[in-house]
Amino acid sequence: MYFAKADASALYVTPYSPSELTWSEKGVTVTQTTRFPEEQVSTLTIGGGPASFALPLRVPAWATGGFRVTVNGRAVPGTPVPGGYFSVRRTWRAGDTVRVLVPFRLRAERALDDPTLQTLFLGPVNVPWPGQPGRPRPVDRAPAVCAVRQRRPLRRSAAPSLTPVSGKPLHHTLNGVGFAPFAEGTEDPTHACFRRSEPHVVFGAFDAGVANPARGDGVTLLDEIWAGALFGSKGALVTRVRTTVADRALAGLPSGMDGDRAARTAQNASYAA
């Protein structure tokens, strides 16, 4: 849960989970309050003190945007690095409160041996692709085939396209289809993995009319473009499209498409931040 540096100069916070720590060497307690992952925030309250030490807070590898820390309501400056720790150093006193915001976003993780075989995660939570109710579980059957991003309003990432279900944490809908955490279990058929199929370059509801070419390892042009999310604006997305196409050309990889045409398509699509 918590790890103290050998010289007692730092206390590392690794999992975000309800807990209470007594650090006798420093004469302080740390009480963590959260419903993570049902909520995307955790609060740590210091007791005892005063005591000076650093409090490095884990930044999950998937937390690629929006990670924020406040102390007593004031934002802590700095640049969080996914997969590392964000450190807050000060003299801590009884009643000091640290609030950690860890926003979730939808992402697809690829199988190591087949990039087209993927599974969905919302932050740290695996979200299986729903099957068809009333049909047998998809055991020993081919995975579902789907396009994750096509034919939906263009946004800074895929996550905003999911609609939260009121009163049911981590439950969402997408185009009328319900999604729930894998860990909850269900009697309905589900696909833990799905076969990604995006044969054309599509942004929102606009089809560029060109193929979505794949590299030798199976990673497609759209995969590379959306790996740069979150995009702060439509202009940032259009720039990503142009640079990705240019990088492929410099690497001697066939783009199989007109880069300007793809960029124009992204520019013409409606964008919601």
Side-chain angles (χ1 to χ4, degrees):
M1 297 292 293
Y2 303 88
F3 299 92
K5 201 169 181 179
D7 61 2
S9 63
L11 180 68
Y12 288 78
V13 180
T14 300
Y16 296 112
S17 178
S19 55
E20 183 171 344
L21 168 73
T22 298
W23 194 10
S24 56
E25 189 171 0
K26 286 290 188 178
V28 298
T29 61
V30 179
T31 303
Q32 186 173 175
T33 306
T34 184
R35 291 192 300 113
F36 189 90
E38 291 186 356
E39 62 180 6
Q40 302 172 28
V41 64
S42 186
T43 301
L44 296 95
T45 304
I46 306 297
S52 297
F53 58 90
L55 191 69
L57 304 158
R58 185 174 65 91
V59 184
W62 45 262
T64 55
F67 184 95
R68 295 196 301 276
V69 177
T70 63
V71 176
N72 300 332
R74 295 186 177 182
V76 179
T79 304
V81 177
Y85 285 84
F86 184 85
S87 188
V88 183
R89 180 181 292 276
R90 60 181 276 133
T91 297
W92 301 95
R93 293 176 169 81
D96 283 345
T97 301
V98 181
R99 189 172 186 268
V100 185
L101 178 63
V102 193
F104 295 174
R105 73 180 183 95
L106 187 70
R107 72 185 192 280
E109 290 200 358
R110 309 180 185 99
L112 295 178
D113 60 344
D114 184 352
T116 68
L117 191 62
Q118 303 183 3
T119 187
L120 289 179
F121 280 86
L122 185 63
V125 181
N126 183 225
V127 184
W129 196 268
Q132 297 183 24
R135 297 188 61 178
R137 290 178 179 273
V139 177
D140 297 327
R141 295 175 57 193
V145 177
C146 69
V148 175
R149 293 175 292 252
Q150 293 185 7
R151 307 302 179 186
R152 300 207 310 276
L154 186 61
R155 300 177 183 267
R156 62 201 299 242
S157 75
S161 297
L162 290 174
T163 302
V165 177
S166 179
K168 300 184 72 175
L170 300 177
H171 286 244
H172 296 78
T173 61
L174 173 62
N175 296 333
V177 178
F179 288 79
F182 182 84
E184 286 190 3
T186 176
E187 293 298 319
D188 295 328
T190 58
H191 296 269
C193 296
F194 60 92
R195 183 74 63 187
R196 185 75 160 269
S197 177
E198 292 173 314
H200 297 98
V201 173
V202 174
F203 295 106
F206 290 82
D207 192 328
V210 292
N212 178 29
R215 301 185 317 212
D217 60 3
V219 176
T220 70
L221 180 67
L222 283 176
D223 288 335
E224 290 189 74
I225 290 171
W226 285 101
L230 303 168
F231 299 112
S233 65
K234 181 192 286 188
L237 171 60
V238 173
T239 298
R240 175 74 178 187
V241 173
R242 293 187 185 280
T243 57
T244 303
V245 172
D247 288 345
R248 281 188 163 221
L250 288 174
L253 298 172
S255 66
M257 60 168 292
D258 181 340
D260 287 337
R261 189 172 182 179
R264 287 196 303 270
T265 302
Q267 183 65 53
N268 291 335
S270 298
Y271 182 90

